Amino acid sequence: MAPKKIIIDTDPGIDDILGLLLALSATPEEVEVLLISLTFGNIEVKSCLRNAVSMFHIVEREMQWRREQGRPEGFGALRAHPPIVAVGAEDPLEDQKMLADYFHGTDGLGGIHASHPHLTPQETWEHMFDPSTDSDVKPVPAGDESHKSFIPSKRPAHEEILRVLRENDPDTVTLVAVGPLTNLALASAADPEAFLRVKEVVVMGGAINEPGNVTPGAEFNAYADAFAAARVYALTSPTPRTAMPISSTSLASYPATLSRQLTVKMFPLDITHRHGIKRGQFRQTVTPLLEKGSPLAEWSAAFMAHTFSTVERLHQGQVGDDVELSLHDPVCVWYALTADHDGWKPSVTSPEDIRVETTGQWTRGLCVVDRRDRHRLEGEEESPSDHGLWLTSKHGNRIWRMDQSPVEHNFGEVLLTKLFN
């Protein structure tokens, strides 16, 4: 069986980095990461780029250390197919920008670039992503091997997403979106039909039956660019105009007729909160590797220490080794790698008409579902009694909300095994 082809659209922070490492540590028979497209979100997009490049730098050092230790190198997917890395959206489509540096630290990794500068590559790689520089990539100074594991792009991330989808057969590439959906909204506006060649879009975002994590109603990614989420979700509708946000953005409207509907697999907080890793569990795995000099263990221990301390401060009742970090983004990556497992199940009501609120004073980013006990309207015509077009079958979104997982009770163990063994 051919490896699964994926794009990861991300805003590396902490759980994003864990998700990226999870994908890249797979075997080449399991997955080929075609593109890592970066967006603002947890932090500014330039900091996201530094974190992504730092990750490759650490992985190169880790593989060298493992060779010297006589251990398997791991990271077969990365060694077989170095991914393209492209820089994308700096700002949301319309909303005031909000970052999550209060949780991830101002650099996205708990201040690691200041506290552990020996683990951060020199910034000689920045010119490789600068579209204003000469197209010929200048040699990277000796000693900086982070460039070996990725292919830098000077094109905007949304253009790279479209290029990858055009160059691969329809329904062969899965797009895993674990940050705000701005890059996806830009790509789908630029060329809807090319965007719809994607097999499915796996989204970490939203909250349905749980409270939000940045407001009482909103999860961070949906809140950070609610207009982008609403636009992307509208492509799941038989009539996208019925679910499009009222917007002043310059992005083009979708054509009245499209060749197909987008498939979205949504992972809201309802399911991602059930996948976590505890401080004691992480420490037990990493401490022996720290003592032996593992670069990946040292790097991850530094930013995870910050994360567990932040969780302990924010959540009452979590102390010591029982402090748990929810693995929101890695769950989505793991689904993309193992989607054929019959333990993954959507809600019994899927596909659901889930829409994202864009203009509410208190409800921006809220995922709205129709909980009324109302009869569906017969026929295809719009009815004046159907305010918001919720009741007619051809209107509204069609989102597959994921509800069950085969690794809900041991995902932290799965992650640690994949990354460190």
Side-chain angles (χ1 to χ4, degrees), residues 349-396:
T349 51
S350 289
E352 299 175 70
D353 187 358
I354 300 173
R355 309 187 199 180
V356 179
E357 175 59 54
T358 57
T359 57
Q361 180 179 359
W362 310 116
T363 57
R364 165 182 156 188
L366 176 73
C367 289
V368 182
V369 296
D370 190 352
R371 303 182 192 275
R372 299 173 295 176
D373 183 15
R374 293 280 300 274
H375 290 294
R376 304 293 295 181
L377 296 174
E378 297 297 330
E380 298 295 316
E381 296 300 320
E382 296 178 11
S383 168
S385 67
D386 184 15
H387 301 287
L389 302 176
W390 290 89
L391 300 175
T392 308
S393 60
K394 73 173 184 176
H395 298 146

Side-chain angles (χ1 to χ4, degrees), residues 207 210-219 362 366:
E210 284 206 5
N213 59 4
V214 290
T215 71
E219 176 274 333
W362 310 116
L366 176 73

Side-chain angles (χ1 to χ4, degrees), residues 97-120:
K97 181 158 63 177
M98 173 188 153
L99 304 174
D101 50 8
Y102 65 90
F103 185 87
H104 295 266
T106 55
D107 67 356
L109 291 177
I112 195 170
H113 300 296
S115 63
H116 294 69
H118 61 289
L119 298 178
T120 300

